Amino acid sequence: MAVAARCRLPGLVDVGSAAVRWRPPWALTAGCRKKSTQFLNRPDLPKLAYKRLKGRNPGVLYLPGFAATMKTDKALAVEDFCKSLGHAFVRFDYSGCGASGGNFSECTVSRWKKDVLAILDELTEGPQILVGSSMGGWLMILAAIARPERVAALVGIAAGADYLVTAFGQLPLETKKEIEDRGEWYLPNKQMEEGFYKIPYSFIKDAQNHCVLHSPIPITCPMRLIHGMKDEHIPWQVSLQVAENVLGSDVDLILRKQSKHKMIEKDDVKLIIYTIDDLIDKLSTLE
């Protein structure tokens, strides 16, 4: 990345040509977010909570992970970066999550895909860079397939393409039958207070209709995939599979040897911001 590009990144302070000092982007604007949450109302569907920055294109749309909200540190860091450059940015909560309407027990991949497309269609203009974390990485792929004319580039952070379906498929037959009878799958997660995610069986059945790793993925826009090799939830090989299956040639897979699933360490976030910045430069050059 050119030095000029590095100098404009939030949290980076020049201290000479040979060194740059880092401060987390969200630390620079902590306490300054006064803009209230807005809502996208949809006929017969739950309202979606979102926050939007208006600005120039390409815009950036952030897709959170499974059961996560738009208030994660990564989402806020990307927002700060876009604000510093004057680029458009949107973050939002899926239906059944955060401040959005709906019940989580009724959520499916189909519904969350509709959420993403609604945000993309109604709240953004022109080319967009989709940044998807975990489950958001799966949904960004589905959105890019559905709206190739709107999606200019993709950034996957521990992209979880097909992962819940794959994990469910690896369970013993007896366990699958128990889950089907009970109607819920208790998926272990040490980061949850309860120690597990409670996933409706209907979510798994619906997700099986949206798998992308068993055939070529019809996406040709630039794609950057970042994954930690110590990811305790989604193996980094999932991102490798995505890279191998995508039809486009402008695909980079970046593996971080010590990083875990959430990728919230200082150097993780810095890499995410660098990656988005590089794509913005690339797309701006192509205009």
Side-chain angles (χ1 to χ4, degrees):
M1 183 178 297
V3 172
R6 293 172 65 191
C7 294
R8 68 186 187 177
L9 295 175
L12 292 178
V13 182
D14 270 344
V15 291
S17 59
V20 175
R21 184 170 68 252
W22 164 264
R23 284 182 291 165
W26 52 89
L28 302 179
T29 56
C32 298
R33 291 187 176 83
K34 298 180 180 179
K35 193 170 183 179
S36 61
T37 300
Q38 297 175 279
F39 293 91
L40 175 63
N41 293 307
R42 303 177 295 170
D44 303 320
L45 288 172
K47 63 182 180 180
L48 299 177
Y50 71 91
K51 292 201 175 186
R52 175 172 57 173
L53 293 176
K54 293 186 177 181
R56 62 179 180 269
N57 288 328
V60 177
L61 173 58
Y62 187 90
L63 283 60
F66 182 83
T69 74
M70 60 177 165
K71 295 181 179 180
T72 64
D73 284 346
K74 292 194 295 289
L76 300 182
V78 176
E79 179 181 64
D80 288 339
F81 166 67
C82 290
K83 184 175 182 180
S84 74
L85 292 189
H87 277 262
F89 174 78
V90 178
R91 55 188 170 100
F92 71 102
D93 290 334
Y94 304 123
S95 56
C97 301
S100 288
N103 297 316
F104 181 78
S105 61
E106 299 175 355
C107 290
T108 60
V109 173
S110 293
R111 174 168 287 189
W112 284 351
K113 176 185 173 183
K114 287 182 180 179
D115 294 348
V116 176
L117 295 180
I119 295 290
L120 184 62
D121 293 343
E122 301 295 330
L123 300 181
T124 71
E125 297 179 355
Q128 299 293 308
I129 298 173
L130 304 192
V131 180
S133 177
S134 192
M135 170 65 75
W138 186 0
L139 291 166
M140 78 174 186
I141 292 172
L142 298 177
I145 294 172
R147 298 288 189 275
E149 73 284 358
R150 295 295 318 285
V151 178
L154 299 172
V155 178
I157 307 166
D162 297 9
Y163 179 63
L164 288 176
V165 175
T166 301
F168 182 81
Q170 294 171 344
L171 296 174
L173 288 175
E174 300 80 8
T175 304
K176 293 180 187 176
K177 186 63 169 61
E178 290 174 4
I179 293 171
E180 183 177 356
D181 293 341
R182 186 171 59 237
E184 290 179 327
W185 178 22
Y186 299 147
L187 180 65
N189 187 319
K190 295 178 182 179
Q191 297 165 351
M192 299 286 291
E193 184 176 342
E194 300 86 352
F196 56 83
Y197 282 126
K198 187 182 293 186
I199 302 175
Y201 180 65
S202 57
F203 189 100
I204 301 301
K205 294 298 292 181
D206 174 81
Q208 292 171 349
N209 299 319
H210 298 282
C211 291
V212 296
L213 296 181
H214 299 299
S215 60
I217 302 173
I219 292 176
T220 57
C221 68
M223 176 182 282
R224 305 292 179 261
L225 300 164
I226 306 171
H227 215 123
M229 296 182 73
K230 291 191 175 180
D231 191 322
E232 64 278 27
H233 296 297
I234 300 173
W236 59 264
Q237 288 88 349
V238 173
S239 284
L240 176 60
Q241 284 184 277
V242 173
E244 290 175 335
N245 285 26
V246 165
L247 292 180
S249 58
D250 189 358
V251 180
D252 291 342
L253 171 61
I254 305 167
L255 299 178
R256 291 189 55 78
K257 188 171 183 177
Q258 299 299 322
S259 295
K260 297 183 179 181
H261 182 66
K262 284 196 170 184
M263 300 203 73
I264 56 175
E265 298 301 322
K266 176 182 67 177
D267 288 339
D268 294 333
V269 176
K270 183 164 60 173
L271 175 60
I272 293 166
I273 297 298
Y274 279 164
T275 301
I276 297 170
D277 183 67
D278 190 55
L279 283 171
I280 289 176
D281 282 348
K282 181 183 184 72
L283 296 174
S284 299
T285 302
L286 294 175
E287 289 181 354

